[in-house]
Amino acid sequence: MSPPPSLCYDAGNGYSWTSFLRPEIKTEIATDYYQIILAFSLLTGAGTSLLMNPAVASVAHWFNERRGLASGIAWTGSGIGGVIFPLMIQSLLPQIGWGWSLRAFALILFVLCTVSVALCRSRVPPRNGAATTWRDTIPSARIFLDGTGAMALTTAGAVLTDLAYFIPVTYIPSYYIARQHLPADATLTGSASFAYQLLAILNGSSCIGRLLAGYVSDRLGRFNTMILSLFLCAISVLCFWLPDILISNVPNTGLLIVFVMLFGCVSGSNVSLMPVCMGQLCETQEFGRYYATCFSVVSFGALVSIPIAGALIDAVDAPGKTKFWGVAVFTGLCYVAATLCFAWVRLRVKGFNWKTRW
């Protein structure tokens, strides 16, 4: 006899909760590099996946007409964490060291995860009811064979989006250090500390973008808003970040700060609208499986994104900030390609009438 779906859901959340917290505790006592890889790469990866997928699916269970806004509010939490945690760690490391900084981080995660596990609930029963088995919940490649190519192209667009999104989020601090010709060892308290404060600015802007994109998507359509947001992401990278890289005598950091704020705002939809767009292609009962199937593929895009960016930086034989021009071009082109994928799905399913809200 299979356990009730709600019990499976709570057990999965409980496992993901402990899997997500355990790496933070293990990492602070790690003495070898492989231990850090095991903690952050394997345990954190597994725990985050098991924690996020049910949480995202539960939002889709409770909202339909205002699903975009609800998703935006839910995803604002990661943006707030992106503001608080870099500044917290930057402040704690010089005072209490690596080990106790991670213990403080783990304690905060413990409290937040306890609340999230207690509040997350499913509403819509599985399609097969009591006959549902574990095989009905795992990702399936058959989802891509829907006869229209909509799911396949949406997943391709999501892969390209993640390829692009993680590059500025990861390399903005390194770019600032190279741009200002600063020593990397001064990032905590020295002259380069603003490099990591830029991440807080980006994530703070992203909070606004996630809420705004969700609100607009409920009125203009989820795919319509996603297409516009991805196009603006490409504009922000190619028209703001790339010029800051190529222009040698930029008098101050104003252009870079404008890029960080603009990109943070328009890229908020990269995470908050993706599950909402997925919900346009399936019924609520199937949302969790569709989302898991899509992001099982997308995870490979996230896996290779940073190595590709690092290889591009190493391949450019140029001094200072100009070695980042290849990364900026790659990021912008990935956003252009992602925009075309989502536009194709929009045209394939709803035609050329852009007044149709979808």
Side-chain angles (χ1 to χ4, degrees):
M1 178 179 177
S2 299
S6 60
L7 180 59
C8 292
Y9 179 79
D10 291 340
N13 258 342
Y15 174 76
S16 64
W17 171 36
T18 55
S19 298
F20 188 66
L21 291 175
R22 195 178 295 119
E24 313 306 328
I25 300 171
K26 292 291 185 183
T27 303
E28 60 92 6
I29 60 174
T31 57
D32 295 315
Y33 188 66
Y34 81 91
Q35 295 171 334
I36 298 177
I37 295 297
L38 289 174
F40 273 119
S41 298
L42 297 181
L43 282 177
T44 299
T48 301
S49 297
L50 292 169
L51 186 70
M52 291 304 301
N53 286 343
V56 171
S58 69
V59 175
H61 277 213
W62 292 96
F63 295 89
N64 187 17
E65 289 296 322
R66 296 186 178 181
R67 185 179 290 175
L69 179 59
S71 178
I73 293 173
W75 280 101
T76 299
S78 64
I80 295 174
V83 174
I84 295 175
F85 289 139
L87 298 179
M88 183 191 82
I89 296 297
Q90 185 183 38
S91 176
L92 289 178
L93 278 176
Q95 301 180 50
I96 61 177
W98 171 255
W100 280 105
S101 296
L102 282 190
R103 292 187 187 101
F105 184 43
L107 177 61
I108 295 174
L109 292 181
F110 176 82
V111 174
L112 294 177
C113 289
T114 300
V115 175
S116 68
V117 171
L119 294 180
C120 280
R121 289 291 182 271
S122 60
R123 181 184 67 87
V124 181
R127 177 179 294 278
N128 296 329
T132 300
T133 65
W134 64 270
R135 293 181 181 85
D136 298 316
T137 62
I138 61 175
S140 173
R142 290 179 296 178
I143 290 175
F144 297 116
L145 306 177
D146 56 3
T148 65
M151 181 64 182
L153 263 294
T154 300
T155 302
V159 171
L160 290 165
T161 300
D162 270 24
L163 272 174
Y165 174 72
F166 285 108
I167 292 175
V169 171
T170 302
Y171 279 100
I172 280 298
S174 300
Y175 172 72
Y176 176 81
I177 292 172
R179 184 187 191 277
Q180 302 299 113
H181 307 287
L182 298 172
D185 57 358
T187 54
L188 291 179
T189 58
S191 56
S193 60
F194 187 65
Y196 287 95
Q197 293 168 11
L198 284 172
L199 288 180
I201 295 174
L202 189 150
N203 283 292
S205 302
S206 182
C207 291
I208 299 173
R210 295 173 194 196
L211 286 173
L212 183 61
Y215 177 83
V216 172
S217 70
D218 291 335
R219 284 151 180 79
L220 298 183
R222 283 75 186 261
F223 267 79
N224 295 343
T225 306
M226 190 67 174
I227 293 166
L228 176 61
S229 298
L230 291 173
F231 176 73
L232 292 176
C233 286
I235 293 297
S236 68
V237 171
L238 297 176
C239 297
F240 289 87
W241 192 21
L242 186 59
D244 189 73
I245 295 171
L246 297 178
I247 299 174
S248 58
N249 297 319
V250 179
N252 51 51
T253 59
L255 184 58
L256 176 61
I257 294 174
V258 169
F259 162 70
V260 168
M261 295 179 65
L262 178 60
F263 177 79
C265 187
V266 297
S267 67
S269 64
N270 293 181
V271 291
S272 66
L273 281 189
M274 201 65 74
V276 180
C277 290
M278 202 65 55
Q280 298 291 100
L281 304 175
C282 64
E283 297 182 9
T284 302
Q285 292 95 330
E286 300 174 327
F287 178 84
R289 194 177 193 186
Y290 268 66
Y291 183 79
T293 301
C294 171
F295 275 82
S296 295
V297 178
V298 172
S299 62
F300 290 98
L303 179 67
V304 301
S305 174
I306 305 307
I308 290 175
L312 288 173
I313 293 174
D314 292 338
V316 176
D317 185 17
K321 66 177 184 176
T322 53
K323 64 183 178 180
F324 285 84
W325 74 263
V327 167
V329 171
F330 175 77
T331 303
L333 292 180
C334 282
Y335 271 125
V336 171
T339 304
L340 294 176
C341 287
F342 278 89
W344 186 94
V345 175
R346 168 65 176 77
L347 295 174
R348 180 71 174 84
V349 176
K350 290 297 180 179
F352 288 88
N353 186 5
W354 290 98
K355 294 183 179 179
T356 301
R357 191 181 73 173
W358 191 73

